[in-house]
Amino acid sequence: MKHIEWKDHKLYLLDQRLLPEQTVICANESVEDVCDKIRTLAVRGAPAISIAAAYGMVIAAERYRFGDFREYMEENHRLLAATRPTAVNLFWALDEMKQVWQKASPAEAPALLLAKAKEIEEDDVRRCLRLSENGAALLPEGARILTHCNAGALATGGYGTALGIVRKGYERGKVAMVYADETRPLLQGARLTAYELRADHIPVTLITDNMAAHLMKQDKIDLVITGADRIAANGDAANKIGTYGVAVLAAYHHIPFYVTAPLSTFDLTIQSGSDIIIEERDGEEVRSFQGVASAPRDVPVENPAFDVTPHELIKALITEEGVIEGDFEEGIRRQFARKAR
Ligand code: MRU
């Protein structure tokens, strides 16, 4: 089943809010529909958001009727860009789309934008496959891997970053066990990572977030791999809230901590992680789960959706261009220079 699909002038999305209990595909016919699905995490994960937004711009161009075409497209670009602030892939994809509609007439824009959105989607799968090869080569035999949140097929064009490496490693007989942090408050680890790995018959054990330290101490984890939503020029990496804590625990227990992402997740305009905007989400996500209260209704909460892992805690960054270790700044620059050629 495809979780993102363009068909009959509509964007079909698997509603990830309902997984694993229900598999519901919803049709999106307007830019507002797509914005709503991104904002409410029906589609989530940095590359998947960018692909959905790219198709959102196709919908915009197809629905154009009258008035100034560029102003109209600019406004739709703004609406999609305002959905979530942290994952840079969203802004990267919208800029890619902008380069197309800026040069196109209203009549030619829909077809050109559709071709570009498909290219972004297919390109993401290729990038994920390549970074997965690069990452799988680093895995020891019988690897027991901890991961946080969901950086799998559902979060990307269809293969995954952290779970892509797991998939490739498993194919090569190197993965003994994946420990999935449940990932409070929205349980992407429990609902999505556990679901994906079970579907692929890859051994997975679900743990609550507060169990990681204990398992590390018991020598049950060989390495940690997570995805990222934005990586700064110095290698600091924003990812799902709780990732930073796992990295600190891994450092204390001398367990290698890897971050993997395609180059579309890097933001070279940002020198360090302190410049990354962290999304604050509604407190209700912490006070309750799927409508059931788990705290006093009026208790104040904080709900940052992401945190930043400083590069000092990261053993290596794994991208489609290779593995960056040591001087991250230099390594990232080199990969971008190589890609530009
Ligand atoms: O809030 P989410 O579910 O969109 O957060 C997702 C993550 O933090 C992922 O780890 C990240 O986007 C990488 S997905 C390949």
Side-chain angles (χ1 to χ4, degrees):
M1 175 199 334
K2 267 182 81 60
H3 65 298
I4 303 178
E5 187 171 22
W6 179 264
K7 211 171 58 185
D8 304 330
H9 306 277
K10 288 178 206 144
L11 177 63
Y12 289 88
L13 295 169
L14 170 62
D15 191 338
Q16 297 189 33
R17 296 167 298 190
L18 305 176
L19 288 174
E21 285 301 306
Q22 296 173 56
T23 46
V24 174
I25 303 277
C26 49
N28 297 275
E29 303 190 46
S30 68
V31 171
E32 288 71 22
D33 279 350
V34 178
C35 288
D36 178 63
K37 298 303 186 308
I38 296 175
R39 214 179 290 111
T40 59
L41 273 56
V43 56
R44 35 65 52 201
I49 292 169
S50 76
I51 295 163
Y55 283 115
M57 290 308 293
V58 180
I59 293 179
E62 289 199 344
R63 307 294 186 270
Y64 168 75
R65 291 292 170 266
F66 52 82
D68 185 307
F69 177 64
R70 291 191 210 299
E71 261 177 37
Y72 164 86
M73 291 300 280
E74 197 67 67
E75 177 55 16
N76 284 292
H77 178 118
R78 260 196 303 273
L79 287 173
L80 285 158
T83 50
R84 297 193 75 189
T86 304
V88 75
N89 309 57
L90 170 66
F91 308 101
W92 167 82
L94 287 173
D95 283 346
E96 294 276 306
M97 299 301 278
K98 187 171 186 172
Q99 285 179 34
V100 175
W101 61 256
Q102 266 181 334
K103 292 184 217 129
S105 70
E108 61 196 11
L112 293 174
L113 287 169
L114 180 57
K116 187 69 190 174
K118 284 193 169 149
E119 182 189 316
I120 290 173
E121 182 180 3
E122 287 161 12
D123 190 45
D124 181 72
V125 178
R126 278 192 296 270
R127 287 170 189 247
C128 285
L129 281 164
R130 281 171 59 195
L131 69 79
S132 300
E133 294 278 355
N134 295 335
L138 298 175
L139 297 179
E141 294 299 323
R144 297 158 309 164
I145 304 169
L146 176 72
T147 190
H148 190 75
C149 194
N150 172 265
L154 291 164
T156 61
Y159 193 74
T161 57
L163 292 193
I165 293 175
V166 163
R167 287 197 165 93
K168 269 278 165 272
Y170 186 72
E171 255 172 56
R172 309 223 161 121
K174 284 175 137 188
V175 175
M177 180 55 69
V178 181
Y179 288 96
D181 277 349
E182 68 176 352
T183 316
R184 279 275 292 150
L186 296 180
L187 306 189
Q188 287 92 332
R191 295 187 302 104
L192 310 176
T193 294
Y195 167 80
E196 270 194 36
L197 294 177
R198 294 288 294 167
D200 277 0
H201 307 289
I202 296 175
V204 56
T205 301
L206 178 64
I207 61 171
T208 62
D209 298 336
N210 51 2
M211 292 174 187
H214 182 66
L215 264 70
M216 287 181 182
K217 193 171 183 198
Q218 287 184 320
D219 200 18
K220 286 188 171 167
I221 315 276
D222 300 309
L223 69 152
V224 181
I225 315 178
T226 73
D229 288 83
R230 191 184 294 230
I231 301 176
N234 70 348
D236 292 351
N239 191 50
K240 178 53 54 197
I241 189 73
T243 304
Y244 173 37
V246 177
V248 171
L249 294 176
Y252 182 81
H253 292 93
H254 308 290
I255 293 168
F257 183 94
Y258 296 99
V259 172
T260 179
L263 291 185
S264 53
T265 303
F266 287 69
D267 182 356
L268 301 194
T269 69
I270 282 184
Q271 186 46 39
S272 81
S274 51
D275 297 326
I276 298 175
I277 297 171
I278 300 294
E279 177 182 7
E280 276 288 334
R281 293 186 63 84
D282 194 322
E284 270 315 290
E285 290 180 352
V286 177
R287 280 186 290 260
S288 62
F289 186 71
Q290 291 182 336
V292 180
S294 55
R297 280 280 169 218
D298 56 353
V299 66
V301 298
E302 291 218 21
N303 189 16
F306 301 96
D307 57 26
V308 174
T309 299
H311 63 274
E312 297 87 348
L313 297 179
I314 301 171
K315 164 107 172 115
L317 295 168
I318 304 164
T319 80
E320 68 273 33
E321 290 292 317
V323 177
I324 305 172
E325 254 185 292
D327 185 343
F328 283 141
E329 205 154 337
E330 177 56 23
I332 293 169
R333 244 198 322 263
R334 267 210 215 123
Q335 288 206 354
F336 270 83
R338 203 160 55 223
K339 186 134 207 304
R341 277 204 291 271

